[in-house]
Amino acid sequence: MAKQNKKTPDEMSFLDHLEELRWHLIRSVVAVVIIGSGAFLMKNFIFDTVIFGPSRMDFPTYRLFCDIATWMGFESDFCADKLPFSIQSRQMGAQFSMHIWTSIWAGFILGFPYILYEIWKFISPGLYEKERQNSRGFILIASLLFFSGVLFGYYVVAPLSINFLGTYQVSELILNEFDIDSYIGTVRTAVIACGVLFELPIIIFFLTKVGIVTPEILKKYRKIALVVVLILSAVITPPDVTSQIIVAVPVIILYQVSIYISGFVLRKEAKKEQKLRKKG
């Protein structure tokens, strides 16, 4: 009976839409909690293998940079036996609290496709049938971009940040002993920030759809966008030029791809309008 009485999007009031949004958010949170609970039970793998992986010199990124340096005949800090810092917990409940929050973030990252699915279920009723058909790959493409960013953040940005900050000393008299919250925060920021940054083409796609962005605007403000990208790169990476360039390059490429996507969307919209005019 409930399904038969379900209102169409046109019949729903503002409060009805809010109620619908509330249930989508609740289901998303439940999914994050369920996946996070699984991550909570996999404590050894999540922390020893994943989180603390970049703190050891056998991490794949360090080995790769070491091999490159050796092949080129250079000495490199990436070939060291271990990083000169230790990780400690200085508060009674810090480890337990970090275990919970890390599990929640793991639930968010792994549950991202389902969160997108709930978002899509909320906005899709307001779209035309043809728009829904043209956007069928939204969840898949957005998820692939997000996970690509997450992997880039984990295997490139995080280890470079940890290696630079972990070996940096203003004096040999000062020991690097980092709090667990500081270390995990560095890894989390690199991973989440890169995951979000890699969603740029999707964001531009929808902004073009609603008429806010055009290829001309993107080209006009390309230099400003480059400055913004460099600032964002400086925020999520250590203060060295190499790391910032490594982060900035893929984002600039994604920005250029976004220009082509914006142009593609506008061309499709123009063709659609021409067909409507011919029919009229």
Side-chain angles (χ1 to χ4, degrees), residues 38 63 82 143 224 261:
R63 292 205 307 266
K82 64 177 183 178
S143 298
I224 297 175
I261 290 173

Side-chain angles (χ1 to χ4, degrees), residues 62-97:
Y62 300 142
R63 292 205 307 266
L64 175 63
F65 279 103
C66 176
D67 291 340
I68 293 172
T70 303
W71 177 71
M72 296 179 68
F74 298 126
E75 292 185 5
S76 174
D77 292 336
F78 292 109
C79 296
D81 294 330
K82 64 177 183 178
L83 288 165
F85 67 83
S86 61
I87 303 170
Q88 58 185 345
S89 175
R90 293 181 294 178
Q91 296 179 1
M92 192 67 112
Q95 292 197 54
F96 181 70
S97 176

Side-chain angles (χ1 to χ4, degrees), residues 119-217:
I119 293 172
W120 177 247
K121 279 182 68 179
F122 177 70
I123 64 174
S124 61
L127 300 176
Y128 293 110
E129 181 61 31
K130 197 165 185 180
E131 289 177 328
R132 284 199 291 269
Q133 291 177 354
N134 292 336
S135 304
R136 279 179 179 174
F138 161 72
I139 297 173
L140 177 62
I141 295 171
S143 298
L144 287 175
L145 286 171
F146 178 76
F147 286 126
S148 297
V150 165
L151 291 174
F152 180 78
Y154 179 70
Y155 282 105
V156 178
V157 180
L160 287 177
S161 301
I162 291 167
N163 185 273
F164 176 82
L165 297 174
T167 57
Y168 187 83
Q169 286 181 299
V170 294
S171 171
E172 292 183 357
L173 299 175
I174 303 174
L175 298 176
N176 282 334
E177 297 178 343
F178 304 127
D179 190 76
I180 184 174
D181 183 60
S182 176
Y183 174 85
I184 293 180
T186 300
V187 177
R188 182 180 62 240
T189 300
V191 168
I192 299 296
C194 287
V196 173
L197 282 175
F198 272 54
E199 293 292 336
L200 182 61
I202 297 293
I203 295 169
I204 295 298
F205 174 84
F206 283 104
L207 289 178
T208 304
K209 272 281 188 183
V210 297
I212 297 175
V213 169
T214 64
E216 289 71 27
I217 292 175

Side-chain angles (χ1 to χ4, degrees), residues 227-244:
V227 174
V228 172
V229 166
L230 290 174
I231 292 172
L232 289 172
S233 301
V235 170
I236 65 175
T237 60
D240 68 294
V241 178
T242 305
S243 300
Q244 292 173 16

Side-chain angles (χ1 to χ4, degrees), residues 31-37 39 102-112 115:
V32 169
V33 170
I34 292 172
I35 298 172
S37 299
T102 300
S103 300
I104 292 172
W105 280 109
F108 170 77
I109 293 171
L110 296 175
F112 188 75
I115 295 171

